[in-house]
Amino acid sequence: MKKVLITGANGQIGSELIFELRKRLGADSVVGLDLREPGEEQQKAGPYEVLDATDKAGLEKIMAKYQIDTIFHLVGILSATGEKNPNLAWKVNMTSLLNVLEIARETKAKNQDIHIFWPSSIAAFGPTTPREHTPQETVMVPTTMYGVTKVAGELLCQYYYLKYGVDVRSIRYPGLISWKTAPGGGTTDYAVAIFYEAVQNGKYECYLEPGTVLPMMYMPDAIRGTIELMDAPAENIKTRTSYNFSAVSFSCAELAAEVKKLVPGFECAYNPDSRQKIANSWPKTIDDSVARAEWGWKHEFDTRKMATDMMANLKHKFGRPVAGQKAAASEQQAHPTKRKI
Ligand code: NAD
Ligand code: AKB
């Protein structure tokens, strides 16, 4: 990794990954790209391009301009937004990924390697997948358009690796929990919103049933794991579809109970909507032993540690008193965020 492009750099993951990679590689070595204008802080910190990632010629120009050798392709339309606009989800998710893979193939034909990271999701699984300890290799028949694009994307990545030798690596992220940038229209967003609402209003109305269990991960673990996968020796990477990748699983009621310990008097009500059907089609727990064995994946944050750190950072962000708590691992520095929860 010398010159990196992060597409979707303004999103929940991209806005944190760009910060971490610029810290490691230097600000000028990491280029951000998004459809949306960058926040002021990002703009000042390093190069940033506004582009629709479905524009292949535009993407090629940017790759050449900065001599990019590694792409973290994070552009995507997530599950809940995808169900509202399935055509957009297919167009953005598939066209942009195909563009990135094609550019890597064409560049490889000129004897230059472009390394690609592309995220899949637990959404690649469906209602007929075993929901407990979902194995690496299993039934994958998703019933959301988002999930369809993730399965198709995984197979496309593997195809480009097998046929053209493109070094493309992938992780099936669970729901990601973070305090710096708001999530972008997924089914697992409740697990972020509950913290914001607890700090700001002392109550939350959850759009999933209390017993709904989903796999989740704190953002610092996700960012570290993503970089570790890309840093791993190629011979260790035996899975070229996408790796199961896991940390914790809890129900909405269990998370609400953790939040209540940190915000006494917090109340959570439940009013399930159309996202319940999506959540019901996804796994509850994930078996990620293959990632742990092949490239040493290990999570650090359990539910309690994640909740404590989330709360401390959000209280700091919103200027609330933090009674005896200190942020454990993630930095107390707010990133620009354009979205409100
Ligand atoms: P996000 O919605 O927060 O960010 C996506 C970014 O892509 C946004 O900033 C958006 O402006 C940008 N974008 C959308 N269409 C674009 C286009 N045509 N051209 C350029 N930019 C465009 O999403 P995220 O949570 O950061 O997710 C990033 C990736 O990780 C996605 O592929 C998503 O499916 C995957 N993922 C995320 C989670 C999660 O919990 N956050 C879980 C599993 C997988
Ligand atoms: C979503 O809920 O759509 C995402 C995901 C798990 O892929 N957070």
Side-chain angles (χ1 to χ4, degrees), residues 78-79 121-122 146 175 186-188 282:
L78 277 72
S79 58
S121 161
I122 52 166
Y146 176 62
T187 302
T188 59
W282 289 355

Side-chain angles (χ1 to χ4, degrees), residues 7-15 33-37 48-55 59 73-79 81 88 91-93 96 117-123 146 149-150 171-178 181-189 192 215-217 219 282 339:
T7 74
N10 228 8
Q12 188 192 9
I13 304 172
S15 60
L33 181 152
D34 204 289
L35 201 52
R36 297 182 294 157
E37 292 288 335
Y48 196 100
E49 300 278 348
V50 174
L51 184 84
D52 183 336
T54 62
D55 170 1
L59 206 53
H73 181 49
L74 303 182
V75 161
I77 303 296
L78 277 72
S79 58
T81 310
L88 179 74
K91 182 170 175 272
V92 171
N93 295 3
S96 69
F117 173 81
W118 173 78
S120 184
S121 161
I122 52 166
Y146 176 62
T149 67
K150 289 305 184 190
I171 275 171
R172 291 172 185 148
Y173 288 131
L176 299 181
I177 300 173
S178 66
T181 300
T187 302
T188 59
D189 294 10
V192 177
M216 301 278 181
M217 185 180 289
M219 190 62 86
W282 289 355
R339 279 172 285 186

